[in-house]
């Protein structure tokens, strides 16, 4: 769906279309044919085929999400577990942290990993499907699209999750009112709390910000990550933002889409440290640090 399509539907103004096109954002992937449940089954099928593990070895299935509607005439989790033979899996949803739900799922998975055996696995399924046009609205900053991703976690994973942290700090809303007019970065307290959170996830593993090869963020506003790079005193190229124009904003699918693309282009190298970052409305922040195994 193009920005012109959205303008014709009354979602974007002429000025917003102009601003989006200026940022090289001209379209978004939209799933018009498949239902949420069909997307769910397709991504699970592909994940199990790619991983080639017995379904009985899956112990937990986590579903972080922002947008979708359950089919009220069916039990999608029960249907999925029966279809794929997840006889021992416990399924549950993760939401209300908005675009930080995926990092929250990583945090939950890391905790649950203490309860699984060395040959067992945890799956994270993210499906974001907008049912209303206004859910795609990102102002002049981004367009929200449809996507589905699957993540398989276990002791034999290619990556080692070192530390994960999330924070919902609503004090930032009040603290922002104290910002001086001369400060060139708006919402400065959000960024200060974000930096504290990132450093918190690194400190436990005795890793410095300079040790991180690449920061992989969600595909929200480019300005957000440019500000963060400036405040962290990092070279701009250390924060990956190509995903904004390549995929658009797909809420909780962003981090997996970006990581998969970087892996396919061999940007993720063995022995290096990486960090996934999420910055959601309402001061909800997330940071996950991992090492390529």
């Amino acid at each position: 769906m193009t920005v012109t399509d959205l303008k014709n539907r009354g979602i974007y103004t002429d000025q917003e279309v102009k601003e989006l096109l200026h940022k090289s954002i001209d379209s978004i992937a939209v799933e018009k044919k498949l239902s949420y449940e069909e997307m769910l089954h397709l991504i699970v099928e592909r994940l199990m085929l790619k991983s080639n593990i017995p379904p009985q070895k899956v112990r937990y299935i986590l579903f972080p999400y922002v947008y979708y509607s359950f089919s009220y005439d069916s039990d999608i989790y029960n249907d999925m577990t029966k279809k794929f033979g997840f006889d021992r899996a416990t399924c549950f949803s993760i939401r209300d942290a908005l675009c930080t739900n995926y990092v929250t799922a990583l945090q939950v998975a890391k905790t649950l990993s203490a309860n699984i055996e060395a040959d067992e696995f945890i799956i994270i399924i993210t499906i974001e499907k907008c049912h209303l046009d206004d859910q795609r609205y990102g102002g002049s900053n981004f367009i929200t699209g449809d996507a589905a991703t699957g993540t398989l976690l276990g002791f034999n994973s290619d990556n080692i999750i070192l530390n994960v942290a999330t924070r919902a700090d609503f004090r930032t809303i009040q603290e922002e009112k104290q910002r001086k007019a001369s400060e060139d970065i708006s919402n400065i307290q959000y960024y200060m709390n974000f930096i504290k959170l990132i450093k918190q996830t690194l400190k436990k593993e005795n890793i410095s910000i300079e040790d991180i090869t690449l920061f992989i963020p969600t595909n929200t506003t480019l300005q957000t990550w440019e500000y963060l790079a400036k405040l962290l005193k990092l070279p701009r190229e250390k924060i990956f933002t190509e995903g904004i124009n390549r995929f658009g904003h797909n809420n909780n699918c962003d981090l997996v889409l970006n990581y998969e693309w970087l892996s396919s282009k061999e940007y993720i190298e063995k022995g290096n440290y990486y960090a996934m970052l999420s910055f959601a409305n309402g001061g909800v922040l997330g940071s996950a640090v991992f090492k390529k195994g």
Side-chain angles (χ1 to χ4, degrees), residues 191-257:
Y191 290 96
M192 292 296 99
N193 285 331
F194 204 177
I195 290 170
K196 289 178 185 177
L197 185 70
I198 294 168
K199 289 182 176 179
Q200 174 189 329
T201 56
L202 298 174
K203 184 178 180 180
K204 188 175 179 181
E205 300 298 326
N206 198 28
I207 301 170
S208 70
I209 287 178
E210 291 73 23
D211 292 329
I212 301 296
T213 300
L214 189 65
F215 291 88
I216 305 170
T218 50
N219 299 332
T220 50
T221 66
L222 181 62
Q223 191 179 47
T224 297
W225 309 116
E226 289 177 339
Y227 281 167
L228 187 65
K230 182 177 181 179
L231 291 170
L232 287 172
K233 298 180 179 179
L234 289 174
R236 172 64 187 77
E237 59 271 15
K238 288 199 74 170
I239 299 184
F240 175 76
T241 56
E242 273 192 54
I244 295 173
N245 295 335
R246 184 169 296 277
F247 302 113
H249 184 40
N250 296 273
N251 295 316
N252 286 282
C253 295
D254 281 356
L255 293 173
V256 188
L257 290 170

Side-chain angles (χ1 to χ4, degrees), residues 6-236:
L6 289 166
K7 185 189 75 169
N8 293 338
R9 291 168 182 243
I11 304 300
Y12 285 98
T13 66
D14 289 338
Q15 180 60 30
E16 286 170 334
V17 168
K18 183 179 179 180
E19 291 175 1
L20 284 166
L21 293 174
H22 180 70
K23 297 172 184 176
S24 300
I25 301 172
D26 56 11
S27 62
I28 194 69
V30 174
E31 179 51 67
K32 296 181 179 179
K33 296 180 180 180
L34 298 181
S35 67
Y36 174 84
E37 192 165 18
E38 288 170 328
M39 292 173 72
L40 168 61
H41 289 177
L42 182 62
I43 205 68
V44 172
E45 182 179 295
R46 290 182 177 179
L47 184 65
M48 298 306 290
L49 185 65
K50 184 176 181 179
S51 62
N52 193 31
I53 63 169
Q56 295 80 11
K57 294 298 183 180
V58 177
R59 285 294 308 278
Y60 298 99
I61 305 176
L62 314 182
F63 292 84
Y65 67 92
V66 176
Y67 295 128
Y68 72 74
S69 297
F70 286 112
S71 303
Y72 293 109
D73 58 349
S74 67
D75 181 343
I76 63 169
Y77 293 168
N78 189 49
D79 291 347
M80 178 199 64
T81 53
K82 283 185 177 179
K83 179 175 181 178
F84 294 98
F86 297 135
D87 301 330
R88 300 178 62 238
T90 300
C91 307
F92 54 91
S93 300
I94 296 171
R95 61 165 299 167
D96 294 334
L98 301 174
C99 293
T100 298
N101 285 329
Y102 182 78
V103 177
T104 305
L106 286 177
Q107 191 173 24
V108 172
K110 194 171 190 304
T111 301
L112 291 174
S113 65
N115 302 323
I116 67 174
E117 301 297 329
D119 62 343
E120 294 178 330
F121 298 88
I122 299 170
I123 287 176
I124 301 176
I125 300 293
T126 49
I127 301 174
E128 298 291 3
K129 181 177 173 64
C130 295
H131 293 274
L132 302 172
D133 279 342
D134 61 2
Q135 291 175 330
R136 303 193 186 283
Y137 181 71
S140 59
N141 296 308
F142 56 79
I143 312 171
T144 299
D146 301 335
T149 68
T151 306
L152 186 71
L153 302 172
F155 291 103
N156 296 319
S157 171
D158 286 340
N159 300 301
I160 304 166
I161 301 176
L162 299 175
N163 200 7
V164 188
T166 58
R167 177 179 297 167
D169 190 348
F170 298 104
R171 292 174 301 169
T172 55
I173 297 172
Q174 294 302 317
E175 289 175 354
E176 170 59 17
K177 295 177 181 178
Q178 301 173 15
R179 183 174 69 91
K180 297 178 181 178
S182 59
E183 294 175 351
D184 62 347
I185 298 178
S186 61
N187 300 311
I188 190 70
Q189 290 300 329
Y190 282 92
Y191 290 96
M192 292 296 99
N193 285 331
F194 204 177
I195 290 170
K196 289 178 185 177
L197 185 70
I198 294 168
K199 289 182 176 179
Q200 174 189 329
T201 56
L202 298 174
K203 184 178 180 180
K204 188 175 179 181
E205 300 298 326
N206 198 28
I207 301 170
S208 70
I209 287 178
E210 291 73 23
D211 292 329
I212 301 296
T213 300
L214 189 65
F215 291 88
I216 305 170
T218 50
N219 299 332
T220 50
T221 66
L222 181 62
Q223 191 179 47
T224 297
W225 309 116
E226 289 177 339
Y227 281 167
L228 187 65
K230 182 177 181 179
L231 291 170
L232 287 172
K233 298 180 179 179
L234 289 174
R236 172 64 187 77

